[in-house]
Amino acid sequence: MKIIIKTMLLVVLLSATNNVLGQQKVSYKNQIKRSVDVIFATYEKIDSISIQFQDNEPKDLYIYVQRDSANIPNQTYRHIYYSALDFQGDVCFIKKNYPLIYDLIFNKKLKASIKKPKDEKVFRIVIDRKNSYFRNNIHATSLNTRINKEILEKFLLFLNDNNKDLVIAPEDSILIFQAVVNRNGKIAENEALHGNKDQLYTYFFKNYEYFNKNILNSDKINIYSGLIIPYTKGGRPFQSIIDVYIRANADKTFTISANGRERKLKIKKYVKEDQDLLMIP
């Protein structure tokens, strides 16, 4: 009986700690406060911004747009825009579409001005037009569509070795595309979100197809052994989407990263069939 009572007391104390954390205000230095004011004055449709930190580095960004009948027609989360701050593709679009938010997030003075909760490696702040608060962390599933880091290393070596005569102008050196990933982990439909379907796009897919067929022997591998691992639930793979960032470096090497968490479908020509369960976690 004593053990049960102690356990219940511990749960109550933890809940109380979370509630206190959720109500704790964040204080900024004047320069950061001015930046926040300018953001909301410039982006009038934004309701609030949520930044999640890990080891005192910004990790995740959520931009909440004010609700109206146009942007949430009976569907949840249509008014939320998520960006992974460790994914170059998302950072590229933040810098392009929300330069003031980009400047705030990556301003070293922001981290320095936040007195984070004691002993918290992961913490989140929510900023609205009037105040800023600490909030409980958002925990994400690890089963999102993702790139296989071990296979990516081999693929990058393959790309680098084959890059003999490819010359790409600096302004065309970055490509970001979204892809529908089949249940077997192969890229199906895709669309360029940044850059064009030119030299870099052609070079990537030509080598991707050859690598899959001749190096990985993709007809004989399982879904966890390919370059891209599809979204899985209960051990079952689903057709899903992923955003991929490619950069052709000046030294003729390549940088590739990808993210499949909370992607919004942007492939205009994609037609969803009745039997198609496109998972967008």
Side-chain angles (χ1 to χ4, degrees):
M1 186 60 141
K2 289 183 178 179
I3 295 175
I4 295 175
I5 292 174
K6 286 182 178 179
T7 303
M8 292 177 64
L9 180 60
L10 178 61
V11 171
V12 171
L13 288 173
L14 288 173
S15 299
T17 301
N18 284 336
N19 289 334
V20 171
L21 179 63
Q23 296 300 320
Q24 185 178 343
K25 286 187 178 182
V26 181
S27 298
Y28 304 118
K29 294 181 179 179
N30 289 337
Q31 182 181 354
I32 298 298
K33 181 65 171 66
R34 285 194 293 269
S35 297
V36 170
D37 291 341
V38 172
I39 285 173
F40 286 104
T42 304
Y43 309 121
E44 296 181 355
K45 291 185 178 181
I46 290 181
D47 177 76
S48 59
I49 302 165
S50 170
I51 309 170
Q52 186 152 298
F53 292 80
Q54 182 172 327
D55 296 324
N56 214 36
E57 293 295 330
K59 185 74 164 40
D60 303 288
L61 169 70
Y62 298 82
I63 297 176
Y64 297 82
V65 177
Q66 295 177 11
R67 291 172 176 263
D68 60 44
S69 58
N71 64 23
I72 52 166
N74 301 319
Q75 297 186 45
T76 58
Y77 304 118
R78 286 300 179 103
H79 60 295
I80 300 174
Y81 297 89
Y82 168 75
S83 297
L85 300 178
D86 56 357
F87 172 51
Q88 295 101 317
D90 282 353
V91 173
C92 180
F93 286 122
I94 295 170
K95 190 173 184 179
K96 177 182 177 181
N97 299 325
Y98 298 102
L100 296 177
I101 296 178
Y102 173 89
D103 291 340
L104 174 68
I105 292 171
F106 295 103
N107 186 340
K108 293 181 179 180
K109 292 183 179 180
L110 172 64
K111 294 185 295 182
S113 69
I114 297 174
K115 189 176 180 180
K116 71 173 184 176
K118 187 178 180 180
D119 299 327
E120 293 287 342
K121 289 188 176 181
V122 180
F123 63 95
R124 182 169 66 100
I125 62 172
V126 174
I127 306 169
D128 62 25
R129 294 175 181 273
K130 295 181 179 180
N131 293 298
S132 300
Y133 296 91
F134 287 104
R135 288 287 186 253
N136 294 334
N137 304 331
I138 296 176
H139 299 282
T141 175
S142 60
L143 301 177
N144 299 309
T145 317
R146 61 196 186 280
I147 204 153
N148 187 329
K149 293 183 179 179
E150 183 178 344
I151 301 299
L152 177 60
E153 289 182 8
K154 297 178 181 178
F155 182 57
L156 282 172
L157 288 173
F158 181 77
L159 283 181
N160 297 341
D161 288 344
N162 286 334
N163 185 12
K164 307 297 182 184
D165 303 314
L166 185 65
V167 178
I168 299 176
E171 62 270 19
D172 298 323
S173 62
I174 293 178
L175 170 69
I176 305 171
F177 69 87
Q178 184 173 92
V180 172
V181 180
N182 287 336
R183 293 174 179 85
N184 61 8
K186 294 181 180 178
I187 293 177
E189 298 284 352
N190 65 85
E191 183 168 317
L193 306 179
H194 174 87
N196 302 308
K197 290 187 175 182
D198 52 15
Q199 282 183 297
L200 185 55
Y201 177 92
T202 302
Y203 182 78
F204 172 86
F205 276 97
K206 179 181 178 180
N207 284 277
Y208 169 77
E209 291 171 7
Y210 184 92
F211 182 82
N212 268 338
K213 183 177 180 180
N214 298 284
I215 307 298
L216 291 184
N217 196 7
S218 57
D219 292 336
K220 296 182 179 180
I221 65 174
N222 62 52
I223 60 169
Y224 299 104
S225 302
L227 179 61
I228 300 176
I229 301 173
Y231 172 81
T232 57
K233 186 175 183 180
R236 179 185 174 191
F238 286 88
Q239 188 151 286
S240 47
I241 56 178
I242 193 169
D243 291 351
V244 180
Y245 169 97
I246 309 167
R247 186 180 73 227
N249 303 313
D251 61 357
K252 290 188 175 294
T253 62
F254 296 89
T255 299
I256 296 177
S257 61
N259 195 288
R261 177 183 168 186
E262 298 183 40
R263 301 294 100 181
K264 292 184 182 296
L265 184 63
K266 298 178 181 178
I267 302 176
K268 299 180 181 66
K269 64 180 179 180
Y270 182 79
V271 178
K272 181 179 177 181
E273 299 178 359
D274 292 339
Q275 301 300 318
D276 179 15
L277 299 175
L278 185 67
M279 300 299 292
I280 309 178

